[in-house]
Amino acid sequence: MDPVIVVGAGPVGLTLALALARQEVPCVVLDEGPGKEEPRPARTVVLREDTAALMERLTGAPLAQLGARWAGWRSMRRRQVMREVAFDDRSAPLHIAQHVLTGALRAALAGEPLVEIAADSRLDSLEQEPSGVTAHTRGAKGTWWRGSYLVGCDGPRSTVRKLQDIRFPGRTAVERHAVATLRTELPWQDEALLHRLPPWRPSGPSAGEVTARPLPDGVWRLDWLLPPGKELVTPELLLARVRETLGGWSGGTTPPYELLDTGVHTVHHRLARRWRADRVFLAGDAAHLLGSLGTHGLDEGLRDADNLAWKLAVTWHHGPHEALLDSYQTERRAIVAARLRAADQALPILRGGGGLRSYVPGSARGHDALLADGHLGQGALGAPGAYADSPLAPGRLEGEVPVDTPLGAPVTDVRVTAEDGTFVQLRDRLGRGSLLVVLIAPGTGVWERRHWVSAGIMPRLAAAVAALPHPAELLVAERYPGAAAHSVLLVRPDGHLVTALSGVRPADLYAAAEAVLGGPAKAGTEAGAEAGAGAGAVSG
C-alpha cells in the first residue's frame, strides 16, 4: 500500500509522521522549506501535560531539560495578587522554543526508515482516485508523489485546503500582542505571570496586560496585549515597553537585560468547514486557528495528529474503516469549535472595557479565573476535550461502571504492569496502535507477575482480550482513581477512555472494542458473544 503523504513539516506534520511510523505506517513529508528551521527565540509554545507527554514519548528527547516547566502561576491585577498556583513536575505546563521542539522531532525522524522528508517540495496540485492520492510538487525537484492518504498540516494559508475548495470562515485579528524574548533577572523564578492593568500604565483601553513566561537559562518571553486597531509596533515602542515593564516589576529600576528577539503575534479565530475530503484530511492550523485569552493552538494541533494517526494506521493495515476515519472530523472539530465558542463568549466580557460588568462585585476575580483557564489548560477555554458524544462510543453497556475519568476523556497516567512483567506508566503504552485493557487489581504490585498471571480472573480476561476484533494489550494496575477492584478499563490508542466495566464481561468488552473501530455499537452482539464463549462474565 502507498505511504501517507503529509504536507507541511511544522510540529504538527512532523508529529503525525512520527506517530504513523511508530505504528509501522510509511509516509512522505513534503517540506516546502530547506529541511531545517531557523531559530526564533520569540516563537515559543506552551505544551499542556498531555501534549508534553506525547512529545516526549514520540521523540524520546528530554524536553523538560530543553524547555522550562513552570514552578507556579501568578495572576495580578494592578498591585493585587489575584491567584497563585503551584505545580509539581508532572502537572506543570512546559514552555519551549518552537525551533527546539521541531529539532527534537526532526532528530527522531532522522533515524526512522519509514519516513522520507522531501525538502524544497512545495505542493501545487493534487488528484484523488478511489485507490489513492497523487500530489505534485513544483520547483527544481518537482515531481509526482503517490499516496494512500494525504494530510494537510501546512498552516493557516494551507494549499491543501485551497486545492480542496474548503472554506475557512472566522474572525481576523481577534487580538494582537507585542512579543519580546530577553535574558534578565526577575523578582521571581520559574513562575509564569499574568499582570492585568499594571499600575505603571495609564488607565484606559491601552492599559492592557502583560504575560511573562520563563524559558531555560534565565530567558523570558514577554507578551503585551495591544489595544484594538492597527497600531504600528516600532522598535522604539517595544523597547519602551520592555524598560517600563521590567522597571515596574523591579521597584522602579530597570535591571540589566539582553534582548534576544522581538515580534508581533496576531491571533485569528477560524475553523475549516470540513476536515476530511475523501482521502484528504486537514490538521493543525490548516484546520483551525485559535489563541486568544491564553489558549494555544499548537496543543490542539498535536491532539489532531494523535487522534488521526491511529485511525489512519488501522485503515492502512486492515483495510477501509470509513466510519473510523469520519470520526476524526466529528471528534476533533467539535472540540475546537467548543473552544472557539468559549473564547468568543469570554472576549466581550474581558475586553469590553467597562459597562455594567465593571460594577459587579467579584467581577475582576471572575475575569482572572477565565484568563487563567486559558493559560493553564483548564475549563472550557483550555481543558483537553472529551469525546463523550463520539460516534465511536459504544453506548450504554450492561456492565459499565463509573470511574473518576468521564467516558471519552484522557485517562489518568497510573503505573501499570506490562505483559512482560515490567512496571511502566500507562501513557508509555499509548500510540502503538493497540487498544489497552487495564485490570484494576490491588496488591498485584507486591508479587511477581508469574504468581498471579494464571490465577483468579486473569485467564478469563486474557482469553477475552485475545478474542477482541483488534490487537489489544492487557495491563494491570493496582489502583485507578474512582475504580473499584476488578474493574476493567478499555482505552483507545490515543489514551481516551472507552468504557469501564465491572469485572470480566467478554461480550461488553468485544462490543466496546468493535464500536471503537467504527463498527456496531451494541453490547451482546453475536460476534461478541461468540468471542466470549466459555470465558463467562465475572464481576469480581
Side-chain angles (χ1 to χ4, degrees):
M1 193 170 179
D2 292 318
V4 173
I5 299 174
V6 177
V7 182
V12 175
L14 296 177
T15 295
L16 178 60
L18 198 50
L20 287 169
R22 294 289 186 265
Q23 297 171 70
E24 300 182 350
V25 177
C27 60
V28 173
V29 180
L30 303 182
D31 181 2
E32 69 174 48
K36 62 180 180 179
E37 188 170 351
E38 293 300 322
R40 279 296 310 273
R43 194 173 187 185
T44 65
V45 296
V46 177
L47 302 179
R48 312 304 186 202
E49 179 188 4
D50 60 326
T51 47
L54 170 66
M55 292 293 93
E56 291 182 333
R57 184 171 71 246
L58 287 175
T59 63
L63 295 185
Q65 299 174 24
L66 300 176
R69 288 198 180 275
W70 300 349
W73 164 268
R74 184 181 307 178
S75 299
M76 295 184 66
R77 189 173 188 270
R78 296 193 174 93
R79 300 183 185 278
Q80 181 182 3
V81 176
M82 306 292 290
R83 183 176 182 181
E84 290 185 278
V85 178
F87 299 110
D88 58 36
D89 287 341
R90 296 192 65 83
S91 66
L94 175 65
H95 189 206
I96 186 170
Q98 182 165 314
H99 70 270
V100 173
L101 177 63
T102 304
L105 287 163
R106 286 188 180 274
L109 285 165
E112 182 48 69
L114 290 176
V115 178
E116 176 185 357
I117 300 181
D120 299 315
S121 298
R122 182 177 179 83
L123 180 75
D124 62 3
S125 67
L126 65 88
E127 299 174 1
Q128 291 202 58
E129 302 168 10
S131 60
V133 181
T134 304
H136 184 266
T137 53
R138 69 186 184 195
K141 299 181 180 180
T143 188
W144 289 96
W145 303 86
R146 179 68 179 176
S148 53
Y149 295 92
L150 183 144
V151 186
C153 305
D154 48 344
R157 296 180 176 86
S158 170
T159 300
V160 174
R161 189 184 64 240
K162 294 173 183 175
L163 289 174
Q164 292 301 295
D165 196 25
I166 297 174
R167 293 185 60 203
F168 198 39
R171 302 170 60 197
T172 300
V174 176
E175 288 185 349
R176 292 172 68 239
H177 298 260
V179 180
T181 302
L182 47 89
R183 182 177 284 108
T184 190
E185 199 169 305
L186 295 181
W188 60 90
Q189 289 186 346
D190 302 325
E191 288 187 357
L193 170 72
L194 170 67
H195 200 160
R196 302 185 69 214
L197 305 177
W200 55 84
R201 295 290 300 163
S203 59
S206 63
E209 64 190 39
V210 57
T211 307
R213 287 171 286 201
L215 286 161
D217 303 322
V219 175
W220 294 82
R221 170 172 165 167
L222 273 57
D223 289 61
W224 293 268
L225 177 66
L226 297 172
K230 297 183 178 180
E231 176 187 6
L232 182 63
V233 181
T234 63
E236 293 76 18
L237 183 148
L238 214 152
L239 285 173
R241 286 286 179 99
V242 168
R243 298 189 187 104
E244 176 187 66
T245 302
L246 296 183
W249 284 335
S250 302
T253 302
T254 302
Y257 68 91
E258 178 188 1
L259 188 62
L260 304 176
D261 195 15
T262 62
V264 175
H265 175 53
T266 303
V267 176
H268 310 290
H269 280 181
R270 295 188 179 277
L271 185 64
R273 292 289 192 194
R274 293 179 294 142
W275 291 24
R276 181 188 182 191
D278 298 323
R279 290 179 173 267
V280 173
F281 299 83
L282 300 177
D285 286 352
H288 51 78
L289 294 175
L290 69 162
S292 65
L293 307 181
T295 59
H296 293 274
L298 181 60
D299 246 35
E300 294 298 348
L302 297 177
R303 293 187 183 111
D304 294 345
D306 198 26
N307 183 290
L308 182 57
W310 73 271
K311 296 173 181 179
L312 283 174
V314 168
T315 303
W316 198 90
H317 286 296
H318 303 290
H321 283 68
E322 292 305 311
L324 182 63
L325 294 179
D326 283 342
S327 72
Y328 165 67
Q329 172 177 304
T330 305
E331 291 180 343
R332 293 300 309 145
R333 193 177 187 279
I335 293 296
V336 176
R339 291 274 302 270
L340 284 168
R341 281 195 301 271
D344 285 342
Q345 289 167 2
L347 271 167
I349 299 173
L350 293 169
R351 309 302 193 210
L356 178 62
R357 292 184 183 89
S358 65
Y359 297 96
V360 177
S363 63
R365 194 167 297 277
H367 292 180
D368 173 74
L370 278 174
L371 277 170
D373 280 352
H375 282 278
L376 301 181
Q378 300 171 350
L381 282 177
Y387 306 137
D389 298 322
S390 167
L392 306 183
R396 180 64 185 175
L397 301 169
E398 182 181 349
E400 196 166 76
V401 292
V403 295
D404 287 357
T405 301
L407 297 182
V411 292
T412 301
D413 188 26
V414 298
R415 191 180 79 156
V416 296
T417 304
E419 291 181 344
D420 62 1
T422 58
F423 294 114
V424 296
Q425 291 300 124
L426 179 55
R427 277 184 179 154
D428 292 341
R429 313 309 286 184
L430 300 176
R432 301 172 179 222
S434 299
L435 300 172
L436 302 181
V437 178
V438 185
L439 170 67
I440 311 305
T444 50
V446 300
W447 299 95
E448 290 187 22
R449 184 177 183 273
R450 61 188 176 89
H451 292 306
W452 48 260
V453 70
S454 60
I457 65 175
M458 279 296 293
R460 297 186 181 94
L461 181 57
V465 170
L468 292 178
H470 188 74
E473 182 178 9
L474 176 56
L475 306 168
V476 178
E478 283 208 79
R479 62 186 63 84
Y480 187 88
H486 294 172
S487 296
V488 175
L489 313 183
L490 180 63
V491 182
R492 294 172 16 157
D494 58 354
H496 289 254
L497 181 65
V498 179
T499 189
L501 303 172
S502 59
V504 183
R505 296 178 176 270
D508 282 355
L509 192 61
Y510 190 98
E514 198 172 40
V516 169
L517 300 176
K522 293 182 179 179
T525 60
E526 291 182 8
E530 290 173 4
V538 180
S539 58

